[in-house]
Amino acid sequence: MTRVIGIVSGKGGVGKTTLVSNLSYVLTELGKDVTAVDTNLTTPHLGLHLGFHMVPKSLHDFLRGDAKLHEVVYYHPYGFKVIPAGLSVNDLIGINSDKLQDLTVNLLGKTDFILLDSAPSLGREATLSLKLSDEILLLTNPNIPAVLDILKVAKVAESLNKNVLGVVVNRINRKGNELSTSEIEDTVKYPVIAEIPEDINVQKALAARTAIVDYNPKSVAAVEMRRLGHYLVGREFTYGQGFWEKLFGWFR
Ligand code: ADP
Ligand code: MG
């Protein structure tokens, strides 16, 4: 059965595309067939994160009726599939975003995971990603505006009867200026299922058009991404036996 997971947030720039990109690697490593879709149609970045920014046909061409679905599915060397959106402002002309539903329906049964990289907030575009998802990952940074904004998104997800899996807190720096995990859980009323630290390697990985799990697999951020991937498939995470892993575990 295909699981359609929406990676959503209230605020922009919290790390949704980063998470989709990393989970694509991690779930593939775990033996799953993964299709990552850029449903952020106005400011798409998934292609940039994964090296599919110069493609002949994009999701926008499909939504305009100028391309068949198979023409906009790209195969990443790592083994997962990516449906990137077009980067040009002209790509927005003449598209019918309701056709996104045809896309997810067409992929059902053909892949294990459809990861939807969403637009932020609760506009039409972001709400469409919520509607297309069965399960939701709420992504936030540990600050009050970002957390208040996912609270709203969580409410809308509930009203649409979606299965909210929990909260992923990204860019934690532990310098004492942040909301704690329990404060976030008390506010949002969903469990925090992953805590990903601020890590400059995440940005270095982006510059190299890859994900931190690939670029720097031993970094704490990469380990947390893998932990989350294991959680999503209900598999035990056994990392933590070696010296470096123990040291990193201590820092957590
Ligand atoms: P969104 O998709 O929510 O708008 P992105 O995934 O594009 O956010 O991330 C925004 C920026 O933050 C990118 O430059 C990304 O490299 C950076 N970033 C994301 N997560 C981290 C992290 N854990 N540590 C450092 N930089 C991060
Ligand atoms: Mg993004």
Side-chain angles (χ1 to χ4, degrees):
M1 203 187 80
T2 303
R3 291 174 65 182
V4 186
I5 304 185
I7 288 78
V8 304
S9 73
K11 262 172 72 65
V14 293
K16 293 178 295 299
T17 310
T18 304
L19 186 62
V20 169
S21 155
N22 278 278
L23 284 179
S24 300
Y25 280 84
V26 173
L27 293 170
T28 303
E29 249 169 43
L30 288 168
K32 302 295 175 188
D33 187 287
V34 180
T35 309
V37 186
D38 198 343
T39 62
N40 183 348
L41 300 175
T42 44
T43 49
H45 299 135
L46 188 64
L48 284 171
H49 278 243
L50 291 168
F52 294 109
H53 46 294
M54 303 277 276
V55 291
K57 297 226 179 216
S58 76
L59 176 58
H60 283 92
D61 296 295
F62 173 78
L63 298 179
R64 202 183 300 108
D66 288 344
K68 299 255 186 316
L69 179 55
H70 71 86
E71 293 178 283
V72 298
V73 179
Y74 293 86
Y75 290 79
H76 191 277
Y78 205 76
F80 54 86
K81 286 161 267 183
V82 184
I83 303 187
L87 290 177
S88 159
V89 72
N90 291 332
D91 282 320
L92 293 170
I93 299 168
I95 57 162
N96 173 10
S97 49
D98 293 336
K99 261 185 78 119
L100 265 179
Q101 187 161 12
D102 299 356
L103 181 141
T104 46
V105 168
N106 255 289
L107 290 172
L108 290 180
K110 297 185 184 127
T111 187
D112 298 322
F113 281 89
I114 300 176
L115 302 179
L116 300 180
D117 183 13
S118 156
S121 196
L122 283 167
R124 188 174 180 279
E125 207 182 343
T127 314
L128 189 58
S129 314
L130 275 178
K131 284 184 184 155
L132 294 176
S133 311
D134 300 320
E135 301 169 78
I136 301 291
L137 279 179
L138 299 168
L139 187 62
T140 190
N141 296 154
N143 60 60
I144 293 168
V147 171
L148 288 180
D149 288 356
I150 53 161
L151 181 59
K152 277 192 202 154
V153 178
K155 296 279 173 233
V156 175
E158 281 165 18
S159 72
L160 294 166
N161 289 322
K162 303 300 174 181
N163 177 15
V164 179
L165 298 170
V167 180
V168 176
V169 186
N170 186 31
R171 306 196 75 158
I172 299 172
N173 65 34
R174 301 210 194 276
K175 287 186 182 153
N177 54 336
E178 303 178 320
L179 291 176
S180 67
T181 298
S182 58
E183 285 169 326
I184 295 171
E185 289 180 333
D186 286 349
T187 309
V188 187
K189 307 277 188 261
Y190 284 102
V192 169
I193 57 173
E195 295 172 278
I196 302 163
E198 173 76 27
D199 187 338
I200 188 68
N201 287 301
V202 173
Q203 286 155 43
K204 290 186 182 165
L206 171 58
R209 301 270 189 270
T210 184
I212 190 163
V213 291
D214 175 48
Y215 184 82
N216 194 338
K218 288 194 169 164
S219 64
V220 195
V223 172
E224 288 311 302
M225 298 282 189
R226 292 221 294 285
R227 190 190 305 281
L228 175 60
H230 282 70
Y231 175 85
L232 291 178
V233 298
R235 216 174 284 177
E236 197 190 342
F237 187 67
T238 50
Y239 198 77
Q241 307 310 313
F243 171 77
W244 287 109
E245 293 80 5
K246 281 192 180 135
L247 189 67
F248 285 141
W250 184 75
F251 276 118
R252 284 183 77 237

